[in-house]
Amino acid sequence: MTRPWTASPDLPWLDRTPQWVEAGHDEQRLRRAEKDIRWLRNIGLIGWFVVLRGHGYALGPTPVWAVHAAGVVYGLWAHREAGRTRNIRRTAVITTFGDPVLAGMICLFTGGIDSILYPFFYFTQMSVAIRFGVLESIGIACFNCFVTVLIFFAEPLYSGDAERDTWLTLTTQFFLLGFAGFMGAILADWAREHAQLILEHARSLRESGERYQAVLRRFAQVQEEERRNISGELHDRMSGHLFGLRHGLEQCMAGLDDRAALREKLLELEVTVRACNHDVRSIMNELRPTVLDELGFFEAASEHLARHSDIAPYRLSCRIDPRLRDWRSRQDAMLFRLLQEALLNIQKHAQASTVEVVLEPRLGQVVLSISDDGLGFDPDQVPIGHYGLMTMRERAEAAGGRLIVEAGAGRRGTRIEVRLPGSGS
């Protein structure tokens, strides 16, 4: 049995996001983060200027203002690159190390690790957490500790005050940097987890849209097929009857003086009318069995299976639990269509010799299963353009039920099971 194509989310190739999609998403996220951080960096440089002027650092060719000028040039470069570069990851890596180096230089000339500007190191921790992940956050925390040690030992040489920074201050800054690194790692993990959830949600919406479009196309195709079938049935069955009626009426109107001949012709027309009426009822019954509305699924299925067994190229066995004789539900028509579709697929594709249909109550549900011993199929290798199984699945889910298909590559036979709520109405 060749399995019709379906966009069901239980297919393995839909359970994972392609690597190129994830890579593209990471690059977009990194570019967006880098563009946001560049404005924070610019605000920080302006803040440095205000703080330095407020603490009495006079403008002039001093190391403090030289570092600040270098920071402005660096900030302008980073701002420009974040907006235009194609290799955003390279720019992000440069700024990841450039920010703490710049902060370290300005702290070196403004009081060492006691500098009022030292908290900008924490900004570098958060910026890495936003752009990258947990390991990167831990790595930049270690790098910041290394820069802090350099400042600790280099600042007394610059200022000439050997007692200015103490080991207690260094230990405190290590603790704060470690705490900021830990916070950054938590933030990075949280951001990545939620980004993945958003990505999965977007993928799910995309797949739902594709399934919806496929269902619409399938329903339109089914509607056209049904119209074509009805048109063909009406032509094949009714055209002969109507021709006979018209021809007989023409003979009667032409004049049959012999009452016996007229009576014989009218009897022929009566037979034709009865045949026409029979065919109309047969077509109506095929479209929707009247017994389905009058007596329920049990009788409709029994009648259909009995009629189908006479024309099927396989041996059909049926087992319907007698407890379901009086079971009625709003899903009767849907379940009957699923039965018809399954038997039609088996007849067209399975090349089966035996088919078994079982309807039984099970654990508060009504279960319809159709099994065959014909050709199996690989659920992961489905020809594009086949919608039969997808239509069956959609019908079952729309009725609050579930469709289960048991098949596999190299396996003989297929089993389709439909489970519906057991409460009737």
Side-chain angles (χ1 to χ4, degrees):
M1 180 176 180
T2 303
R3 182 186 182 184
W5 179 84
T6 173
S8 172
D10 59 1
L11 294 181
W13 64 274
L14 290 178
D15 288 339
R16 59 179 185 273
T17 304
Q19 293 182 355
W20 67 269
V21 174
E22 293 182 347
H25 173 75
D26 287 342
E27 183 174 348
Q28 292 179 3
R29 179 178 57 83
L30 183 59
R31 185 178 298 277
R32 187 164 53 248
E34 191 66 27
K35 288 182 178 180
D36 293 338
I37 290 171
R38 67 180 180 177
W39 291 106
L40 295 177
R41 186 182 297 108
N42 295 339
I43 294 173
L45 288 169
I46 296 173
W48 283 7
F49 179 84
V50 174
V51 171
L52 291 175
R53 292 292 293 147
H55 282 74
Y57 288 92
L59 294 174
T62 61
V64 172
W65 292 112
V67 172
H68 187 270
V72 171
V73 173
Y74 161 76
L76 292 175
W77 172 86
H79 189 97
R80 176 174 175 271
E81 287 297 305
R84 65 182 294 272
T85 183
R86 294 185 178 180
N87 193 348
I88 190 65
R89 185 168 295 275
R90 180 190 61 189
T91 302
V93 170
I94 294 175
T95 55
T96 294
F97 291 97
D99 290 341
V101 169
L102 179 61
M105 292 297 294
I106 201 71
C107 288
L108 175 63
F109 299 116
T110 58
I113 59 177
D114 283 327
S115 171
I116 190 65
L117 300 176
Y118 186 86
F120 276 92
F121 274 102
Y122 309 141
F123 158 76
T124 65
Q125 301 274 142
M126 295 298 105
S127 68
V128 172
I130 294 173
R131 286 178 288 184
F132 298 105
V134 176
L135 295 180
E136 290 84 352
S137 297
I138 297 174
I140 202 63
C142 296
F143 182 74
N144 285 345
C145 289
F146 173 73
V147 174
T148 298
V149 171
L150 293 181
I151 298 172
F152 179 79
F153 287 105
E155 194 277 334
L157 299 178
Y158 164 72
S159 64
D161 185 2
E163 301 297 331
R164 187 164 187 174
D165 294 325
T166 64
W167 288 99
L168 179 60
T169 303
L170 179 63
T171 304
T172 302
Q173 298 294 10
F174 276 179
F175 170 77
L176 294 176
L177 285 174
F179 186 79
F182 180 72
M183 290 285 292
I186 293 178
L187 178 61
D189 185 62
W190 177 86
R192 185 168 294 275
E193 178 181 353
H194 282 72
Q196 185 64 26
L197 289 175
I198 293 173
L199 184 63
E200 292 176 357
H201 183 63
R203 184 180 66 246
S204 176
L205 289 177
R206 183 177 64 255
E207 293 169 1
S208 298
E210 292 173 353
R211 293 178 60 198
Y212 177 72
Q213 292 297 327
V215 170
L216 288 181
R217 291 192 297 270
R218 174 55 181 166
F219 282 164
Q221 179 182 352
V222 168
Q223 186 180 44
E224 290 302 318
E225 290 178 354
E226 289 294 333
R227 289 175 176 176
R228 185 166 53 250
N229 291 337
I230 293 173
S231 175
E233 287 290 329
L234 289 174
H235 177 271
D236 295 341
R237 297 192 187 187
M238 305 301 296
S239 59
H241 298 322
L242 294 176
F243 175 80
L245 287 174
R246 186 181 66 180
H247 182 67
L249 289 174
E250 289 176 350
Q251 289 180 329
C252 292
M253 293 175 65
L256 289 176
D257 297 334
D258 187 352
R259 295 180 62 86
L262 179 61
R263 180 179 179 81
E264 182 179 355
K265 178 57 65 175
L266 290 176
L267 289 175
E268 291 179 3
L269 293 179
E270 182 184 13
V271 173
T272 302
V273 169
R274 288 180 179 178
C276 184
N277 183 62
H278 176 271
D279 285 344
V280 169
R281 289 183 175 276
S282 177
I283 294 174
M284 291 175 59
N285 193 59
E286 290 177 3
L287 292 176
R288 181 178 177 89
T290 55
V291 68
L292 186 64
D293 295 322
E294 296 173 357
L295 301 177
F297 178 80
F298 182 94
E299 296 296 338
S302 300
E303 179 181 305
H304 177 75
L305 292 172
R307 187 168 59 251
H308 184 79
S309 62
D310 295 335
I311 61 174
Y314 45 74
R315 184 173 61 85
L316 177 64
S317 62
C318 175
R319 180 165 55 87
I320 301 180
D321 196 304
R323 290 174 293 176
L324 296 177
R325 178 178 296 276
D326 298 326
W327 178 72
R328 304 290 294 271
S329 79
R330 292 187 298 269
Q331 291 80 32
D332 284 353
M334 182 278 301
L335 198 61
F336 187 79
R337 294 303 178 201
L338 289 178
L339 176 62
Q340 287 182 314
E341 183 76 19
L343 293 177
L344 179 61
N345 284 341
I346 294 174
Q347 186 171 344
K348 291 169 58 178
H349 306 294
Q351 302 179 23
S353 59
T354 302
V355 175
E356 181 183 29
V357 177
V358 178
L359 180 69
E360 61 182 354
R362 188 190 307 167
L363 300 177
Q365 295 178 318
V366 173
V367 180
L368 172 67
S369 64
I370 304 100
S371 306
D372 68 76
D373 62 352
L375 301 177
F377 61 91
D378 187 351
D380 300 328
Q381 301 293 329
V382 183
I384 297 176
H386 294 263
Y387 304 102
L389 192 59
M390 182 186 69
T391 303
M392 296 170 64
R393 189 184 301 277
E394 294 294 339
R395 283 176 171 172
E397 292 177 355
R402 182 184 178 193
L403 181 73
I404 301 174
V405 180
E406 297 180 0
R411 166 178 169 168
R412 180 125 183 121
T414 302
R415 182 171 181 270
I416 296 177
E417 183 175 280
V418 184
R419 298 181 181 180
L420 291 175
S423 57
S425 62

